[in-house]
Amino acid sequence: MFVNFPPVAAIYRSICPFELAKSQQQRPRAPSLLCNKQPHVPHSWPPSSQQRTTTTTVSSHGLFRLPTTLPPPVLTRGSIPPPPSRRPHPPRAVVDRVRAVLLDTGRGRCRVGGAAGAAGGVARGAVLGAQGEVPGKAEPVGEGEAGEGAHIVVHGGRHQGARQDAHGGDRGRQALQGGHRHGRFMMRLKLPNGVTTSEQTRYLASVIEAYGKDGCADVTTRQNWQIRGVTLPDVPAILDGLNAVGLTSLQSGMDNVRNPVGNPLAGIDPDEIVDTRSYTNLLSYITSNFQGNPTITNLPRKRNVCVIGSHDLYEHPHINDLAYMPAVKDGKFGFNLLVGGFISPKRWEEALPLDAWVPGDDIIPVCKAVLEAYCDLGTRGNRQKTRMMWLIDELGMEVFWSEVEKRMPNGVLERAAPEDLINKKWQRRDYLGVHPQKQEGLSYVGLHVPVGRVQAADMFELARLADEYGSGELRLTVEQNIVIPNVKDEKVEALLAEPLLQKFSPQPSLLLKGLVACTGNQFCGQAIIETKQRALLVTSQVEKLVSVPRAVRMHWTGCPNSCGQVQVADNGFMGCLTKDSAGKIVEAADIFVGGRVGSDSHLAGVYKKSVPCDELAPIVADILVERFGAVRREREENEE
């Protein structure tokens, strides 16, 4: 039986922190539901009208009854602009097609036994909403994810529901009691292929502007926006506003399929293989078709997916759980599949060939089949060993292939095409600066956003530039930069003269253009060190010591979770703590060297551990001289 709960806003209004604290003391803890390889219990979807109105469920760990009457709504704080009354929906043809593929087989994953746990997590998450993922210890104090706990009402599941029920209250209390931004939260969106509009950008700017110095936004390493400074009373209004401009945050975090990544130059690149936008948009409907998808919420861990559209491999397929590599078989266009790429604190691995090919029309069925195999067979014990590669290691690739084949709609999965369409000798191009499009008379302009951080005023200006010089569109990249497409050639000079381009330069220095940094401990409770300002500071110090002949990609991450993806960088810096020469504990970093992207991709290894941040610059300069052909400044001056 599928259990559908009242809307998020209704649950939010029905519970106050004081009642929540009382309920946490009285309600017995649920037993562990994280056992391995339990067979799934099918249920029908969509639910019947009788099921939709059910508000009570019984599980193995007791009764959870939602209130039948609601108190008056809580007045919101802040000055969030009211959303427009219209609410856009995906095209009906697309929704019907995806629903038919995903939901008509009866392979439901949201078990009744886990629904009560999910509901308990919702009740806590809707009010407190904090989330962390450091296994084996108490969750850190700091910024949570606004809206994520609330959305579990739509995409609960046995594993997430139980975990949120067991830990959500503790996370919330910690977030409210202390941390870097008391009572402030981050909201992550779904933005397939990194494509956003000026209207959406203005709305997000208006949200963070209302929070003053506490509000800002980040471009992430998955072509996505994260907005910061959000207060929980404002979340329902913000969610309505997101819907009104065609955005959503449903299933954007925790153990879900994360933002689908594609070519940032899709549709405008003269050398592209395929326009990835249509494929990433279809993949986004798997989880975020403005309604959520309960059938794929019981994943053992998060899952990253990308569609490759160019020889440059801007999408970093080697670190995605599922990557679609364009390939032709028997004269028909489709994709070879890579599986299992991931980065985690204890292990990082490159994706491996699945030896499978699907026609371009079948990207959703095979994605669903891989998800089901992972969901049915993946372990749910140690969080450090729950990514899909661990399952592939356990089964072997051939057995995993057969498990995916069993779950294909017709029970058939074709073997891979002999070769994909990627040119292995291709030199990766720089998209920053001005470049001609495939459309005659148009250019795209790539802007460098230092460490991905933008303020409300920046976002308003970006929206204006997109309207005035382009087509009202912006593209986000996994290197935390922004591309303005469809600029008429006669307008390029005027665009380059805009004041904002002094800050977001199309021609940054060789060390700055490859600089990436995660959020750091300014906002993230899991980060050990501050990253964004530190990255800029160390880079400026290194630039005073050496000059480099080419761009060097340097990535910073505040903790071993590696949201900054230090393993793919030429030089990476992972935050830690150490003692300096005086015996004082200070911020430090483990240095990684040797990561590569592109057809000869390689994940970096540790070069030196626990270097105090204040001592990094000369060591980095030495690495650049030894391995990247850098020249010391004093030598340049002497030669001159």
Side-chain angles (χ1 to χ4, degrees):
M1 180 182 70
F2 177 83
V3 181
N4 196 12
F5 297 100
V8 171
I11 294 178
Y12 166 76
R13 292 195 299 266
S14 68
I15 304 173
C16 71
F18 307 102
E19 290 295 324
L20 180 62
K22 182 178 178 182
S23 68
Q24 289 168 345
Q25 296 172 1
Q26 294 175 350
R27 188 171 183 271
R29 288 292 184 188
S32 175
L33 298 175
L34 311 184
C35 45
N36 298 339
K37 299 183 179 60
Q38 291 190 7
H40 70 271
V41 180
H43 67 77
S44 60
W45 178 264
S48 66
S49 59
Q50 181 180 2
Q51 290 171 331
R52 288 191 184 98
T53 58
T54 303
T55 57
T56 303
T57 181
V58 179
S59 74
S60 60
H61 52 82
L63 180 68
F64 185 85
R65 185 179 298 275
L66 293 172
T68 56
T69 60
L70 300 176
V74 178
L75 296 178
T76 61
R77 296 195 300 268
S79 55
I80 300 302
S85 58
R86 63 184 178 86
R87 176 171 176 162
H89 295 276
R92 172 53 55 187
V94 174
V95 172
D96 289 343
R97 178 184 177 193
V98 176
R99 186 183 299 278
V101 172
L102 292 176
L103 305 179
D104 66 358
T105 63
R107 288 179 175 271
R109 293 301 190 278
C110 186
R111 299 165 177 77
V112 176
V122 171
R124 292 160 172 79
V127 177
L128 301 176
Q131 183 218 344
E133 293 187 356
V134 178
K137 63 179 182 180
E139 299 295 349
V141 176
E143 185 181 46
E145 293 192 14
E148 189 62 50
H151 283 155
I152 298 178
V153 70
V154 180
H155 56 79
R158 182 190 69 217
H159 171 49
Q160 288 184 356
R163 187 157 58 89
Q164 186 77 3
D165 182 41
H167 302 297
D170 291 338
R171 292 168 180 162
R173 283 195 301 273
Q174 290 171 340
L176 291 178
Q177 289 170 359
H180 307 285
R181 290 293 183 272
H182 302 273
R184 302 283 175 174
F185 294 83
M186 175 270 287
M187 181 176 285
R188 181 188 291 115
L189 306 180
K190 274 291 184 72
L191 205 69
N193 218 108
V195 179
T196 187
T197 68
S198 58
E199 179 188 24
Q200 293 168 344
T201 305
R202 284 191 187 91
Y203 177 73
L204 296 176
S206 69
V207 171
I208 63 175
E209 183 184 45
Y211 299 118
K213 60 182 178 61
D214 290 316
C216 66
D218 285 331
V219 181
T220 78
T221 54
R222 290 205 65 80
Q223 289 184 310
N224 204 356
W225 285 118
Q226 289 180 354
I227 58 174
R228 305 187 180 280
V230 174
T231 59
L232 287 177
D234 295 330
V235 168
I238 295 175
L239 293 178
D240 289 341
L242 292 177
N243 283 338
V245 296
L247 291 174
T248 183
S249 65
L250 274 172
Q251 293 181 262
S252 60
M254 297 181 69
D255 298 337
N256 280 294
V257 181
R258 298 299 183 90
N259 195 51
V261 169
N263 179 12
L265 308 180
I268 62 175
D269 180 6
D271 296 310
E272 74 176 358
I273 301 171
V274 62
D275 187 336
T276 58
R277 290 174 296 178
S278 60
Y279 297 106
T280 54
N281 282 332
L282 281 175
L283 288 171
S284 72
Y285 286 125
I286 288 176
T287 56
S288 61
N289 56 350
F290 290 88
Q291 300 171 19
N293 185 355
T295 65
I296 53 172
T297 56
N298 190 28
L299 300 180
R301 202 67 164 85
K302 71 177 180 180
R303 186 166 176 274
N304 294 329
V305 60
C306 70
V307 182
I308 305 304
S310 77
H311 305 286
D312 303 275
L313 303 185
Y314 292 126
E315 307 84 355
H316 297 178
H318 56 297
I319 57 171
N320 277 263
D321 296 276
L322 176 61
Y324 293 85
M325 308 293 290
V328 172
K329 185 176 182 181
D330 299 329
K332 188 173 183 179
F333 177 80
F335 297 93
N336 285 344
L337 303 179
L338 302 180
V339 293
F342 79 108
I343 295 173
S344 72
K346 299 295 184 182
R347 181 187 179 190
W348 43 93
E349 296 288 347
E350 293 187 56
L352 301 174
L354 180 59
D355 191 18
W357 176 89
V358 294
D361 295 337
D362 286 344
I363 66 164
I364 290 180
V366 76
C367 184
K368 178 174 180 283
V370 174
L371 278 170
E372 288 180 350
Y374 179 42
C375 184
D376 292 345
L377 305 173
T379 180
R380 290 173 174 81
N382 183 351
R383 294 279 289 172
Q384 291 293 343
K385 298 183 178 181
T386 53
R387 292 295 289 270
M388 196 166 71
M389 183 62 87
W390 291 95
L391 174 62
I392 295 171
D393 286 346
E394 180 182 349
L395 298 179
M397 187 63 78
E398 190 62 26
V399 174
F400 183 74
W401 182 94
S402 66
E403 292 293 340
V404 174
E405 184 182 45
K406 292 176 186 177
R407 291 163 173 81
M408 291 293 288
N410 57 0
V412 176
L413 180 62
E414 295 188 43
R415 293 293 181 174
E419 294 288 339
D420 57 43
L421 297 177
I422 306 299
N423 182 347
K424 305 300 189 295
K425 297 182 180 180
W426 189 267
Q427 288 293 112
R428 195 171 192 262
R429 296 168 296 168
D430 186 359
Y431 57 78
L432 296 178
V434 181
H435 304 273
Q437 294 183 189
K438 63 166 59 176
Q439 296 83 6
E440 187 176 354
L442 296 179
S443 296
Y444 65 87
V445 181
L447 305 181
H448 175 254
V449 181
V451 293
R453 174 59 51 82
V454 296
Q455 304 297 329
D458 302 328
M459 296 183 77
F460 281 123
E461 274 296 281
L462 285 168
R464 181 185 69 82
L465 296 182
D467 283 338
E468 186 171 334
Y469 297 98
S471 57
E473 183 179 287
L474 297 169
R475 308 281 186 92
L476 311 188
T477 79
V478 297
E479 289 88 10
Q480 301 179 317
N481 295 316
I482 292 177
V483 174
I484 302 178
N486 305 317
V487 179
K488 292 182 178 180
D489 290 343
E490 58 267 25
K491 290 186 175 182
V492 168
E493 187 175 349
L495 172 59
L496 296 178
E498 286 283 348
L500 183 65
L501 271 64
Q502 298 299 311
K503 179 177 182 180
F504 297 160
S505 173
Q507 295 179 328
S509 69
L510 292 175
L511 289 182
L512 274 179
K513 68 167 50 180
L515 191 62
V516 170
C518 77
T519 304
N521 66 11
Q522 180 186 5
F523 294 114
C524 178
Q526 299 187 53
I528 301 169
I529 69 170
E530 197 282 324
T531 55
K532 289 192 179 292
Q533 293 304 314
R534 178 78 69 178
L536 292 170
L537 174 62
V538 171
T539 300
S540 66
Q541 292 172 341
V542 172
E543 286 181 328
K544 294 176 182 178
L545 298 175
V546 297
S547 63
V548 292
R550 62 176 180 86
V552 178
R553 296 174 302 105
M554 299 197 294
H555 289 212
W556 286 71
T557 190
C559 75
N561 287 316
S562 199
C563 296
Q565 302 174 346
V566 298
Q567 290 87 350
V568 306
D570 294 319
N571 291 336
F573 308 92
M574 180 180 290
C576 62
L577 297 176
T578 192
K579 291 183 178 180
D580 63 10
S581 57
K584 181 182 177 181
I585 295 178
V586 295
E587 291 190 349
D590 295 338
I591 302 177
F592 288 68
V593 175
R596 295 194 301 271
V597 295
S599 294
D600 63 340
S601 61
H602 176 72
L603 298 181
V606 178
Y607 174 82
K608 190 171 185 178
K609 295 181 70 69
S610 302
V611 179
C613 289
D614 291 341
E615 302 174 13
L616 280 172
I619 296 176
V620 175
D622 290 342
I623 294 172
L624 295 178
V625 170
E626 294 169 5
R627 301 197 177 204
F628 298 94
V631 177
R632 299 190 184 279
R633 295 289 185 185
E634 63 268 21
R635 176 181 164 185
E636 282 186 336
E637 294 172 359
N638 292 336
E639 290 177 351
E640 290 176 359

